[in-house]
Amino acid sequence: MGGGIVEEAHNVRVLGSDQNPTVVLAHGFGTDQSVWKHLVPHLVQDFQVILFDNMGAGTTNPDFFDFQRYSSIDGFAMDILAILEELQVQSCIFVGHSLSAISGFLASIIRPDLFQKIVTITASPRFLNDVDYMGGFEQEDIQQLFNATETNYKSWCAGFAPLVVGGDLDSVAVQEFCRTIFNMRPDITFSLARTIFNCDIREYLPRVTVNCHLIHSSKDLAVPVEVSEYLHRNLGGRSIVEVMPTEGHLPQLSSPEIVIPVILRHIKCDIVDTC
């Protein structure tokens, strides 16, 4: 595969043989493709693995970040489709964490043929509570978060990381999340936080017709377990939910020994099988 503009901008890496089925690994807010480091070694023998960085991640060129484009989740969905098109992927198993889970939903509405299935980790169509909907945050919580990002970025990162990941500041997973989010340019972090915490894609869920495997932590401060059940009820295609005995919004980092086998099982088996 020859290198292209999209590949370069997103630091795309393709591992494994193109004779094998393709798995796309897409990270969430505040991280980059390194968040999949525990999973990749288990995939490369049996799959072609595509890794990339979302625009705005600390590993991407901040000059490429278009504040208008990424003021909605649509921008990230279009990036996924652009990457798949440039790599000439005909069909993939898409594994999306958090932000990339919902970006994957939207991308699959536009091109369902490209997605064999979607495996999500801690996905949420809306982070704010609403009438008959428990998203996890009140508007005041989000406003406090936004205010904190604008005052002291380093101390905000140090406070935000343990909250999201679960665990204390000294844990390896929290330190890793601190590193990747602190590498982001503060104005980009602030813009993306607004995009994500103000998003609401609930109305689009019935149009997601590909099979979805919804993996969730039993305790996630950012996304309550009820959200996975909401997705299960409202997605347009078939779906299955698995709640793991893990804590935090990045269980693939904080509890890889539990999470990696679960992700592998959902990648390798279909809903009609026993997952």
Side-chain angles (χ1 to χ4, degrees), residues 3-4 45 72 79 188 256 265:
Q45 289 300 315
S72 82
D79 285 352
I188 291 175
R265 183 156 33 84

Side-chain angles (χ1 to χ4, degrees), residues 38-49:
H38 299 297
L39 176 61
V40 171
H42 299 280
L43 290 174
V44 290
Q45 289 300 315
D46 301 317
F47 298 93
Q48 176 177 248
V49 182

Side-chain angles (χ1 to χ4, degrees), residues 215-231:
I215 302 172
H216 215 88
S217 284
S218 59
K219 187 179 178 184
D220 179 353
L221 202 67
V223 185
V225 171
E226 293 93 325
V227 172
S228 60
E229 293 297 335
Y230 179 90
L231 287 169

Side-chain angles (χ1 to χ4, degrees), residues 11-141:
N11 303 318
V12 172
R13 287 193 301 146
V14 183
L15 308 173
S17 169
D18 62 4
Q19 301 302 305
N20 290 330
T22 298
V23 171
V24 176
L25 302 179
H27 69 86
F29 170 65
T31 61
D32 56 43
Q33 61 184 265
S34 67
V35 79
W36 302 113
K37 63 186 176 183
H38 299 297
L39 176 61
V40 171
H42 299 280
L43 290 174
V44 290
Q45 289 300 315
D46 301 317
F47 298 93
Q48 176 177 248
V49 182
I50 296 174
L51 295 141
F52 69 94
D53 294 328
N54 279 319
M55 200 53 62
T59 45
T60 61
N61 185 340
D63 293 339
F64 291 163
F65 188 83
D66 183 330
F67 286 88
Q68 183 59 41
R69 178 181 176 89
Y70 301 108
S71 64
S72 82
I73 305 298
D74 296 350
F76 294 99
M78 297 312 292
D79 285 352
I80 291 166
L81 295 177
I83 290 166
L84 295 179
E85 183 178 345
E86 195 162 279
L87 295 177
Q88 299 181 330
V89 172
Q90 304 298 313
S91 176
C92 74
I93 297 166
F94 183 86
V95 181
H97 172 238
S98 193
L99 162 64
S100 284
I102 58 174
S103 305
F105 287 157
L106 297 182
S108 77
I109 293 171
I110 300 167
R111 289 290 307 276
D113 56 299
L114 293 179
F115 298 85
Q116 183 185 329
K117 64 182 167 187
I118 296 175
V119 180
T120 70
I121 301 159
T122 60
S124 175
R126 175 184 166 99
F127 289 91
L128 286 174
N129 299 331
D130 198 3
V131 179
D132 299 327
Y133 177 78
M134 178 60 72
F137 293 90
E138 294 293 341
Q139 187 65 57
E140 308 85 76
D141 303 329

